[in-house]
Amino acid sequence: MKILCGIDMGGTKIEGVLLSLTDKGFDVMERYRIPTEKEKGYEHILHQIKKLVNHLEEKAGISIDKLGIGTPGALDPLSQTLKNCNIVCLNGQPFKKDLEKVLGIPIEIANDANCFALAEATLGAVPEKVPDAQVVFGVIMGTGVGGGIVINGKVLHGKHGIGGEWGHNILDLSGGPCYCGQTGCVETLISGTGLEKFYFQQSGEKRNLKEILERQQAGNDPIAQQTLDRLIHFFGKGIASILNVLDPDVIVIGGGVGNIDLLYQEGVESAKKFMFNPYIHTVFLKPKLGDSAGVFGAAMLVN
C-alpha cells in the first residue's frame, strides 16, 4: 500500500486528502477542508496549508514525506514563481520553494486543469473505460476553458508551464475580447460565460446556461437553439486542433458545459469537419470523479 497526500487550493477553501493506493484501486483515508483566507495574504496561506497538513498527519497517525498541490495558476519553470492565479497574492511568488521551507518536505505543483486530467486518467473514467490509454487530454469547460495533458500517467507541464492551455488559442474573432488580451479565444466562445453572453446579445434576455439548455430541449426558443448550434460548431473546430496536434487516445470533458450530451455526439461529428483525418477513434468521456478530481489529481502528482 502507498499513501499519497494531495491539496487542492481554491479562492475560498483549501482541501487536503490522504489516499491509500493498492493494486486493486484506492481508498480515501482522510479528507479535510479549511478556509483559504486569502485576504490575510501570502504568508498566511502558506501557514494555512501547514495547518491542514498537520491535521491530516494527526488524524491518520502518519508523517507525510511529500506533497502534491493543485493551484489555480501555474508554476513558471524558468522563474519558479506562480503566474495566472486568481488568488492574486500568489502571483510572482516562489510558492514551491517557500512552501517546501514551511513544511520541510518536497512538493510537486500543477494547475487545477492538469490535476483534473491526471485524476481522471489514473483513477477515474479513463482506466475504467479505456485502460490501455497512453495520451489523455482533460478539458474543463465551465466559467472558463482550460485543459491538461497526461502521457503515460504523467502531466506534461511544457517549457513554459502552460501545457494543455487550449482555452487561449484564438478560435474566432466573433468571440470578442478576452481578459488575456487576445480576441476570440476558445474561452470566449464555448465557456458557460461565453454561451450566456451570446444568448443575451441575440435575445436581450439574461439566462443562465441551465435555462438556455432547457429552452433548447423544449424546442420553443430559436435563440437557445442557435446558441447550442454555435457551441457544437466551435467545440468541433476548437477540439479538432487538439486532435490534429496531440492525437490523444481519450478526451475527458469536465465543467458545467461538459454535462451537455450534445457534445459527445454532434460535437464529435462537428470535429470531423476540421480534423486532418476522415474518422475519429479518440474516445470522448464524461468525468467520473466530480469535485474530487482536483484534490485526487494533486495527490497523484507524487505517485
PDB file of all heavy atoms in Angstrom, residues 89-125:
ATOM      1  N   CYS A  89      -2.465  37.281  -4.649  1.00  0.00           N
ATOM      2  CA  CYS A  89      -1.290  37.445  -3.788  1.00  0.00           C
ATOM      3  C   CYS A  89      -0.254  36.345  -4.009  1.00  0.00           C
ATOM      4  O   CYS A  89       0.896  36.455  -3.558  1.00  0.00           O
ATOM      5  CB  CYS A  89      -1.685  37.512  -2.311  1.00  0.00           C
ATOM      6  SG  CYS A  89      -2.372  35.980  -1.641  1.00  0.00           S
ATOM      7  N   LEU A  90      -0.630  35.280  -4.729  1.00  0.00           N
ATOM      8  CA  LEU A  90       0.320  34.211  -5.041  1.00  0.00           C
ATOM      9  C   LEU A  90       1.167  34.526  -6.272  1.00  0.00           C
ATOM     10  O   LEU A  90       2.265  33.981  -6.433  1.00  0.00           O
ATOM     11  CB  LEU A  90      -0.417  32.893  -5.275  1.00  0.00           C
ATOM     12  CG  LEU A  90      -1.245  32.321  -4.129  1.00  0.00           C
ATOM     13  CD1 LEU A  90      -1.900  31.010  -4.555  1.00  0.00           C
ATOM     14  CD2 LEU A  90      -0.395  32.110  -2.890  1.00  0.00           C
ATOM     15  N   ASN A  91       0.672  35.393  -7.139  1.00  0.00           N
ATOM     16  CA  ASN A  91       1.381  35.677  -8.391  1.00  0.00           C
ATOM     17  C   ASN A  91       2.731  36.325  -8.127  1.00  0.00           C
ATOM     18  O   ASN A  91       2.857  37.244  -7.314  1.00  0.00           O
ATOM     19  CB  ASN A  91       0.531  36.576  -9.287  1.00  0.00           C
ATOM     20  CG  ASN A  91      -0.650  35.846  -9.877  1.00  0.00           C
ATOM     21  OD1 ASN A  91      -0.560  34.675 -10.233  1.00  0.00           O
ATOM     22  ND2 ASN A  91      -1.786  36.522  -9.979  1.00  0.00           N
ATOM     23  N   GLY A  92       3.737  35.815  -8.843  1.00  0.00           N
ATOM     24  CA  GLY A  92       5.079  36.354  -8.700  1.00  0.00           C
ATOM     25  C   GLY A  92       5.832  35.844  -7.493  1.00  0.00           C
ATOM     26  O   GLY A  92       6.981  36.245  -7.259  1.00  0.00           O
ATOM     27  N   GLN A  93       5.227  34.935  -6.731  1.00  0.00           N
ATOM     28  CA  GLN A  93       5.854  34.425  -5.513  1.00  0.00           C
ATOM     29  C   GLN A  93       6.527  33.072  -5.772  1.00  0.00           C
ATOM     30  O   GLN A  93       6.008  32.240  -6.530  1.00  0.00           O
ATOM     31  CB  GLN A  93       4.818  34.261  -4.399  1.00  0.00           C
ATOM     32  CG  GLN A  93       4.140  35.546  -3.977  1.00  0.00           C
ATOM     33  CD  GLN A  93       5.045  36.420  -3.128  1.00  0.00           C
ATOM     34  OE1 GLN A  93       6.182  36.066  -2.817  1.00  0.00           O
ATOM     35  NE2 GLN A  93       4.546  37.585  -2.736  1.00  0.00           N
ATOM     36  N   PRO A  94       7.668  32.808  -5.114  1.00  0.00           N
ATOM     37  CA  PRO A  94       8.330  31.497  -5.222  1.00  0.00           C
ATOM     38  C   PRO A  94       7.618  30.476  -4.335  1.00  0.00           C
ATOM     39  O   PRO A  94       8.164  29.969  -3.348  1.00  0.00           O
ATOM     40  CB  PRO A  94       9.754  31.787  -4.741  1.00  0.00           C
ATOM     41  CG  PRO A  94       9.585  32.920  -3.763  1.00  0.00           C
ATOM     42  CD  PRO A  94       8.436  33.750  -4.291  1.00  0.00           C
ATOM     43  N   PHE A  95       6.382  30.183  -4.700  1.00  0.00           N
ATOM     44  CA  PHE A  95       5.477  29.417  -3.845  1.00  0.00           C
ATOM     45  C   PHE A  95       6.020  28.032  -3.509  1.00  0.00           C
ATOM     46  O   PHE A  95       5.968  27.582  -2.357  1.00  0.00           O
ATOM     47  CB  PHE A  95       4.116  29.314  -4.546  1.00  0.00           C
ATOM     48  CG  PHE A  95       3.069  28.562  -3.782  1.00  0.00           C
ATOM     49  CD1 PHE A  95       2.488  29.112  -2.655  1.00  0.00           C
ATOM     50  CD2 PHE A  95       2.643  27.304  -4.203  1.00  0.00           C
ATOM     51  CE1 PHE A  95       1.512  28.432  -1.943  1.00  0.00           C
ATOM     52  CE2 PHE A  95       1.671  26.619  -3.508  1.00  0.00           C
ATOM     53  CZ  PHE A  95       1.104  27.177  -2.377  1.00  0.00           C
ATOM     54  N   LYS A  96       6.542  27.333  -4.496  1.00  0.00           N
ATOM     55  CA  LYS A  96       7.067  25.978  -4.264  1.00  0.00           C
ATOM     56  C   LYS A  96       8.209  26.015  -3.257  1.00  0.00           C
ATOM     57  O   LYS A  96       8.226  25.250  -2.273  1.00  0.00           O
ATOM     58  CB  LYS A  96       7.531  25.359  -5.575  1.00  0.00           C
ATOM     59  CG  LYS A  96       8.039  23.929  -5.464  1.00  0.00           C
ATOM     60  CD  LYS A  96       8.396  23.390  -6.845  1.00  0.00           C
ATOM     61  CE  LYS A  96       8.743  21.905  -6.795  1.00  0.00           C
ATOM     62  NZ  LYS A  96       9.997  21.637  -6.049  1.00  0.00           N
ATOM     63  N   LYS A  97       9.163  26.884  -3.468  1.00  0.00           N
ATOM     64  CA  LYS A  97      10.317  26.997  -2.576  1.00  0.00           C
ATOM     65  C   LYS A  97       9.887  27.382  -1.163  1.00  0.00           C
ATOM     66  O   LYS A  97      10.341  26.791  -0.180  1.00  0.00           O
ATOM     67  CB  LYS A  97      11.295  28.035  -3.138  1.00  0.00           C
ATOM     68  CG  LYS A  97      12.522  28.272  -2.275  1.00  0.00           C
ATOM     69  CD  LYS A  97      13.403  29.352  -2.895  1.00  0.00           C
ATOM     70  CE  LYS A  97      14.588  29.679  -1.982  1.00  0.00           C
ATOM     71  NZ  LYS A  97      15.433  30.761  -2.571  1.00  0.00           N
ATOM     72  N   ASP A  98       8.995  28.356  -1.064  1.00  0.00           N
ATOM     73  CA  ASP A  98       8.559  28.823   0.249  1.00  0.00           C
ATOM     74  C   ASP A  98       7.757  27.763   0.994  1.00  0.00           C
ATOM     75  O   ASP A  98       7.907  27.592   2.212  1.00  0.00           O
ATOM     76  CB  ASP A  98       7.728  30.099   0.109  1.00  0.00           C
ATOM     77  CG  ASP A  98       8.562  31.306  -0.282  1.00  0.00           C
ATOM     78  OD1 ASP A  98       9.808  31.235  -0.173  1.00  0.00           O
ATOM     79  OD2 ASP A  98       7.972  32.321  -0.724  1.00  0.00           O
ATOM     80  N   LEU A  99       6.886  27.051   0.270  1.00  0.00           N
ATOM     81  CA  LEU A  99       6.077  26.029   0.927  1.00  0.00           C
ATOM     82  C   LEU A  99       6.940  24.848   1.364  1.00  0.00           C
ATOM     83  O   LEU A  99       6.719  24.270   2.438  1.00  0.00           O
ATOM     84  CB  LEU A  99       4.954  25.565   0.002  1.00  0.00           C
ATOM     85  CG  LEU A  99       3.905  24.649   0.629  1.00  0.00           C
ATOM     86  CD1 LEU A  99       3.253  25.303   1.841  1.00  0.00           C
ATOM     87  CD2 LEU A  99       2.844  24.266  -0.393  1.00  0.00           C
ATOM     88  N   GLU A 100       7.914  24.489   0.553  1.00  0.00           N
ATOM     89  CA  GLU A 100       8.843  23.427   0.955  1.00  0.00           C
ATOM     90  C   GLU A 100       9.600  23.809   2.223  1.00  0.00           C
ATOM     91  O   GLU A 100       9.856  22.963   3.094  1.00  0.00           O
ATOM     92  CB  GLU A 100       9.812  23.113  -0.184  1.00  0.00           C
ATOM     93  CG  GLU A 100       9.171  22.338  -1.325  1.00  0.00           C
ATOM     94  CD  GLU A 100      10.105  22.088  -2.487  1.00  0.00           C
ATOM     95  OE1 GLU A 100      11.064  22.855  -2.667  1.00  0.00           O
ATOM     96  OE2 GLU A 100       9.860  21.114  -3.230  1.00  0.00           O
ATOM     97  N   LYS A 101       9.937  25.082   2.357  1.00  0.00           N
ATOM     98  CA  LYS A 101      10.631  25.557   3.550  1.00  0.00           C
ATOM     99  C   LYS A 101       9.717  25.482   4.772  1.00  0.00           C
ATOM    100  O   LYS A 101      10.139  25.061   5.859  1.00  0.00           O
ATOM    101  CB  LYS A 101      11.107  26.995   3.333  1.00  0.00           C
ATOM    102  CG  LYS A 101      11.939  27.552   4.481  1.00  0.00           C
ATOM    103  CD  LYS A 101      12.440  28.950   4.147  1.00  0.00           C
ATOM    104  CE  LYS A 101      13.267  29.518   5.297  1.00  0.00           C
ATOM    105  NZ  LYS A 101      13.762  30.897   4.976  1.00  0.00           N
ATOM    106  N   VAL A 102       8.453  25.885   4.600  1.00  0.00           N
ATOM    107  CA  VAL A 102       7.497  25.862   5.714  1.00  0.00           C
ATOM    108  C   VAL A 102       7.195  24.432   6.155  1.00  0.00           C
ATOM    109  O   VAL A 102       7.111  24.140   7.355  1.00  0.00           O
ATOM    110  CB  VAL A 102       6.196  26.590   5.310  1.00  0.00           C
ATOM    111  CG1 VAL A 102       5.082  26.330   6.328  1.00  0.00           C
ATOM    112  CG2 VAL A 102       6.447  28.089   5.186  1.00  0.00           C
ATOM    113  N   LEU A 103       7.036  23.520   5.195  1.00  0.00           N
ATOM    114  CA  LEU A 103       6.644  22.142   5.514  1.00  0.00           C
ATOM    115  C   LEU A 103       7.827  21.226   5.794  1.00  0.00           C
ATOM    116  O   LEU A 103       7.685  20.205   6.477  1.00  0.00           O
ATOM    117  CB  LEU A 103       5.820  21.554   4.361  1.00  0.00           C
ATOM    118  CG  LEU A 103       4.487  22.228   4.034  1.00  0.00           C
ATOM    119  CD1 LEU A 103       3.845  21.555   2.830  1.00  0.00           C
ATOM    120  CD2 LEU A 103       3.545  22.186   5.230  1.00  0.00           C
ATOM    121  N   GLY A 104       8.972  21.545   5.210  1.00  0.00           N
ATOM    122  CA  GLY A 104      10.149  20.698   5.378  1.00  0.00           C
ATOM    123  C   GLY A 104      10.109  19.424   4.565  1.00  0.00           C
ATOM    124  O   GLY A 104      10.804  18.448   4.872  1.00  0.00           O
ATOM    125  N   ILE A 105       9.290  19.409   3.504  1.00  0.00           N
ATOM    126  CA  ILE A 105       9.184  18.246   2.622  1.00  0.00           C
ATOM    127  C   ILE A 105       9.118  18.716   1.176  1.00  0.00           C
ATOM    128  O   ILE A 105       8.740  19.856   0.910  1.00  0.00           O
ATOM    129  CB  ILE A 105       7.938  17.392   2.934  1.00  0.00           C
ATOM    130  CG1 ILE A 105       6.654  18.228   2.804  1.00  0.00           C
ATOM    131  CG2 ILE A 105       8.038  16.758   4.318  1.00  0.00           C
ATOM    132  CD1 ILE A 105       5.366  17.419   2.967  1.00  0.00           C
ATOM    133  N   PRO A 106       9.487  17.857   0.222  1.00  0.00           N
ATOM    134  CA  PRO A 106       9.375  18.234  -1.193  1.00  0.00           C
ATOM    135  C   PRO A 106       7.924  18.246  -1.652  1.00  0.00           C
ATOM    136  O   PRO A 106       7.095  17.471  -1.162  1.00  0.00           O
ATOM    137  CB  PRO A 106      10.165  17.147  -1.923  1.00  0.00           C
ATOM    138  CG  PRO A 106      10.137  15.974  -1.008  1.00  0.00           C
ATOM    139  CD  PRO A 106      10.110  16.527   0.392  1.00  0.00           C
ATOM    140  N   ILE A 107       7.608  19.152  -2.587  1.00  0.00           N
ATOM    141  CA  ILE A 107       6.259  19.219  -3.138  1.00  0.00           C
ATOM    142  C   ILE A 107       6.313  19.238  -4.661  1.00  0.00           C
ATOM    143  O   ILE A 107       7.334  19.626  -5.254  1.00  0.00           O
ATOM    144  CB  ILE A 107       5.464  20.436  -2.622  1.00  0.00           C
ATOM    145  CG1 ILE A 107       6.050  21.743  -3.159  1.00  0.00           C
ATOM    146  CG2 ILE A 107       5.421  20.463  -1.102  1.00  0.00           C
ATOM    147  CD1 ILE A 107       5.185  22.955  -2.870  1.00  0.00           C
ATOM    148  N   GLU A 108       5.209  18.810  -5.259  1.00  0.00           N
ATOM    149  CA  GLU A 108       5.014  18.909  -6.708  1.00  0.00           C
ATOM    150  C   GLU A 108       3.778  19.769  -6.943  1.00  0.00           C
ATOM    151  O   GLU A 108       2.784  19.642  -6.216  1.00  0.00           O
ATOM    152  CB  GLU A 108       4.821  17.536  -7.348  1.00  0.00           C
ATOM    153  CG  GLU A 108       6.029  16.637  -7.281  1.00  0.00           C
ATOM    154  CD  GLU A 108       7.186  17.128  -8.149  1.00  0.00           C
ATOM    155  OE1 GLU A 108       6.904  17.814  -9.153  1.00  0.00           O
ATOM    156  OE2 GLU A 108       8.336  16.810  -7.826  1.00  0.00           O
ATOM    157  N   ILE A 109       3.835  20.630  -7.967  1.00  0.00           N
ATOM    158  CA  ILE A 109       2.756  21.572  -8.239  1.00  0.00           C
ATOM    159  C   ILE A 109       2.237  21.379  -9.664  1.00  0.00           C
ATOM    160  O   ILE A 109       3.008  21.151 -10.598  1.00  0.00           O
ATOM    161  CB  ILE A 109       3.238  23.027  -8.081  1.00  0.00           C
ATOM    162  CG1 ILE A 109       3.538  23.333  -6.613  1.00  0.00           C
ATOM    163  CG2 ILE A 109       2.206  24.021  -8.604  1.00  0.00           C
ATOM    164  CD1 ILE A 109       4.031  24.752  -6.394  1.00  0.00           C
ATOM    165  N   ALA A 110       0.922  21.488  -9.819  1.00  0.00           N
ATOM    166  CA  ALA A 110       0.304  21.562 -11.147  1.00  0.00           C
ATOM    167  C   ALA A 110      -0.950  22.413 -11.021  1.00  0.00           C
ATOM    168  O   ALA A 110      -1.496  22.574  -9.924  1.00  0.00           O
ATOM    169  CB  ALA A 110      -0.054  20.179 -11.678  1.00  0.00           C
ATOM    170  N   ASN A 111      -1.397  22.978 -12.142  1.00  0.00           N
ATOM    171  CA  ASN A 111      -2.627  23.771 -12.051  1.00  0.00           C
ATOM    172  C   ASN A 111      -3.854  22.859 -11.990  1.00  0.00           C
ATOM    173  O   ASN A 111      -3.750  21.644 -12.162  1.00  0.00           O
ATOM    174  CB  ASN A 111      -2.721  24.819 -13.166  1.00  0.00           C
ATOM    175  CG  ASN A 111      -3.054  24.243 -14.526  1.00  0.00           C
ATOM    176  OD1 ASN A 111      -3.464  23.094 -14.670  1.00  0.00           O
ATOM    177  ND2 ASN A 111      -2.886  25.048 -15.544  1.00  0.00           N
ATOM    178  N   ASP A 112      -4.993  23.450 -11.715  1.00  0.00           N
ATOM    179  CA  ASP A 112      -6.187  22.653 -11.444  1.00  0.00           C
ATOM    180  C   ASP A 112      -6.632  21.819 -12.643  1.00  0.00           C
ATOM    181  O   ASP A 112      -7.123  20.694 -12.466  1.00  0.00           O
ATOM    182  CB  ASP A 112      -7.333  23.530 -10.935  1.00  0.00           C
ATOM    183  CG  ASP A 112      -7.539  24.794 -11.768  1.00  0.00           C
ATOM    184  OD1 ASP A 112      -6.956  24.905 -12.863  1.00  0.00           O
ATOM    185  OD2 ASP A 112      -8.289  25.677 -11.314  1.00  0.00           O
ATOM    186  N   ALA A 113      -6.444  22.325 -13.863  1.00  0.00           N
ATOM    187  CA  ALA A 113      -6.840  21.550 -15.045  1.00  0.00           C
ATOM    188  C   ALA A 113      -5.951  20.320 -15.214  1.00  0.00           C
ATOM    189  O   ALA A 113      -6.422  19.241 -15.587  1.00  0.00           O
ATOM    190  CB  ALA A 113      -6.779  22.425 -16.298  1.00  0.00           C
ATOM    191  N   ASN A 114      -4.661  20.470 -14.939  1.00  0.00           N
ATOM    192  CA  ASN A 114      -3.759  19.323 -15.006  1.00  0.00           C
ATOM    193  C   ASN A 114      -4.122  18.281 -13.955  1.00  0.00           C
ATOM    194  O   ASN A 114      -4.046  17.075 -14.206  1.00  0.00           O
ATOM    195  CB  ASN A 114      -2.311  19.780 -14.807  1.00  0.00           C
ATOM    196  CG  ASN A 114      -1.731  20.455 -16.029  1.00  0.00           C
ATOM    197  OD1 ASN A 114      -2.140  20.177 -17.147  1.00  0.00           O
ATOM    198  ND2 ASN A 114      -0.781  21.344 -15.832  1.00  0.00           N
ATOM    199  N   CYS A 115      -4.495  18.747 -12.758  1.00  0.00           N
ATOM    200  CA  CYS A 115      -4.886  17.812 -11.698  1.00  0.00           C
ATOM    201  C   CYS A 115      -6.161  17.071 -12.080  1.00  0.00           C
ATOM    202  O   CYS A 115      -6.291  15.862 -11.834  1.00  0.00           O
ATOM    203  CB  CYS A 115      -5.058  18.556 -10.381  1.00  0.00           C
ATOM    204  SG  CYS A 115      -3.493  19.122  -9.658  1.00  0.00           S
ATOM    205  N   PHE A 116      -7.110  17.786 -12.682  1.00  0.00           N
ATOM    206  CA  PHE A 116      -8.329  17.143 -13.177  1.00  0.00           C
ATOM    207  C   PHE A 116      -7.979  16.046 -14.188  1.00  0.00           C
ATOM    208  O   PHE A 116      -8.469  14.908 -14.091  1.00  0.00           O
ATOM    209  CB  PHE A 116      -9.239  18.187 -13.825  1.00  0.00           C
ATOM    210  CG  PHE A 116     -10.310  17.606 -14.710  1.00  0.00           C
ATOM    211  CD1 PHE A 116     -11.466  17.076 -14.162  1.00  0.00           C
ATOM    212  CD2 PHE A 116     -10.160  17.586 -16.094  1.00  0.00           C
ATOM    213  CE1 PHE A 116     -12.456  16.532 -14.978  1.00  0.00           C
ATOM    214  CE2 PHE A 116     -11.138  17.044 -16.912  1.00  0.00           C
ATOM    215  CZ  PHE A 116     -12.289  16.508 -16.356  1.00  0.00           C
ATOM    216  N   ALA A 117      -7.131  16.391 -15.151  1.00  0.00           N
ATOM    217  CA  ALA A 117      -6.763  15.434 -16.192  1.00  0.00           C
ATOM    218  C   ALA A 117      -6.047  14.226 -15.595  1.00  0.00           C
ATOM    219  O   ALA A 117      -6.316  13.076 -15.970  1.00  0.00           O
ATOM    220  CB  ALA A 117      -5.885  16.113 -17.245  1.00  0.00           C
ATOM    221  N   LEU A 118      -5.131  14.461 -14.665  1.00  0.00           N
ATOM    222  CA  LEU A 118      -4.365  13.374 -14.060  1.00  0.00           C
ATOM    223  C   LEU A 118      -5.265  12.441 -13.253  1.00  0.00           C
ATOM    224  O   LEU A 118      -5.123  11.214 -13.316  1.00  0.00           O
ATOM    225  CB  LEU A 118      -3.261  13.956 -13.173  1.00  0.00           C
ATOM    226  CG  LEU A 118      -2.338  12.946 -12.504  1.00  0.00           C
ATOM    227  CD1 LEU A 118      -1.607  12.096 -13.540  1.00  0.00           C
ATOM    228  CD2 LEU A 118      -1.321  13.659 -11.603  1.00  0.00           C
ATOM    229  N   ALA A 119      -6.189  13.021 -12.497  1.00  0.00           N
ATOM    230  CA  ALA A 119      -7.097  12.200 -11.702  1.00  0.00           C
ATOM    231  C   ALA A 119      -7.956  11.300 -12.581  1.00  0.00           C
ATOM    232  O   ALA A 119      -8.102  10.095 -12.323  1.00  0.00           O
ATOM    233  CB  ALA A 119      -7.977  13.091 -10.829  1.00  0.00           C
ATOM    234  N   GLU A 120      -8.541  11.883 -13.626  1.00  0.00           N
ATOM    235  CA  GLU A 120      -9.411  11.091 -14.495  1.00  0.00           C
ATOM    236  C   GLU A 120      -8.618  10.061 -15.303  1.00  0.00           C
ATOM    237  O   GLU A 120      -9.126   8.986 -15.632  1.00  0.00           O
ATOM    238  CB  GLU A 120     -10.210  12.001 -15.420  1.00  0.00           C
ATOM    239  CG  GLU A 120     -11.270  12.834 -14.705  1.00  0.00           C
ATOM    240  CD  GLU A 120     -12.394  12.016 -14.092  1.00  0.00           C
ATOM    241  OE1 GLU A 120     -12.558  10.842 -14.483  1.00  0.00           O
ATOM    242  OE2 GLU A 120     -13.105  12.541 -13.222  1.00  0.00           O
ATOM    243  N   ALA A 121      -7.350  10.384 -15.612  1.00  0.00           N
ATOM    244  CA  ALA A 121      -6.515   9.470 -16.390  1.00  0.00           C
ATOM    245  C   ALA A 121      -6.019   8.287 -15.574  1.00  0.00           C
ATOM    246  O   ALA A 121      -5.763   7.210 -16.126  1.00  0.00           O
ATOM    247  CB  ALA A 121      -5.317  10.222 -16.974  1.00  0.00           C
ATOM    248  N   THR A 122      -5.883   8.472 -14.264  1.00  0.00           N
ATOM    249  CA  THR A 122      -5.281   7.420 -13.439  1.00  0.00           C
ATOM    250  C   THR A 122      -6.252   6.750 -12.469  1.00  0.00           C
ATOM    251  O   THR A 122      -6.082   5.573 -12.145  1.00  0.00           O
ATOM    252  CB  THR A 122      -4.102   7.993 -12.633  1.00  0.00           C
ATOM    253  OG1 THR A 122      -4.556   9.107 -11.837  1.00  0.00           O
ATOM    254  CG2 THR A 122      -2.985   8.463 -13.560  1.00  0.00           C
ATOM    255  N   LEU A 123      -7.273   7.481 -12.012  1.00  0.00           N
ATOM    256  CA  LEU A 123      -8.190   6.940 -11.010  1.00  0.00           C
ATOM    257  C   LEU A 123      -9.648   6.938 -11.456  1.00  0.00           C
ATOM    258  O   LEU A 123     -10.469   6.270 -10.824  1.00  0.00           O
ATOM    259  CB  LEU A 123      -8.098   7.762  -9.709  1.00  0.00           C
ATOM    260  CG  LEU A 123      -6.739   7.883  -9.036  1.00  0.00           C
ATOM    261  CD1 LEU A 123      -6.830   8.838  -7.846  1.00  0.00           C
ATOM    262  CD2 LEU A 123      -6.236   6.507  -8.586  1.00  0.00           C
ATOM    263  N   GLY A 124      -9.971   7.687 -12.501  1.00  0.00           N
ATOM    264  CA  GLY A 124     -11.362   7.947 -12.840  1.00  0.00           C
ATOM    265  C   GLY A 124     -11.885   7.231 -14.061  1.00  0.00           C
ATOM    266  O   GLY A 124     -11.794   6.008 -14.194  1.00  0.00           O
ATOM    267  N   ALA A 125     -12.409   8.016 -15.005  1.00  0.00           N
ATOM    268  CA  ALA A 125     -13.125   7.462 -16.152  1.00  0.00           C
ATOM    269  C   ALA A 125     -12.219   6.681 -17.099  1.00  0.00           C
ATOM    270  O   ALA A 125     -12.651   5.684 -17.687  1.00  0.00           O
ATOM    271  CB  ALA A 125     -13.806   8.602 -16.924  1.00  0.00           C
TER     272      ALA A 125
END
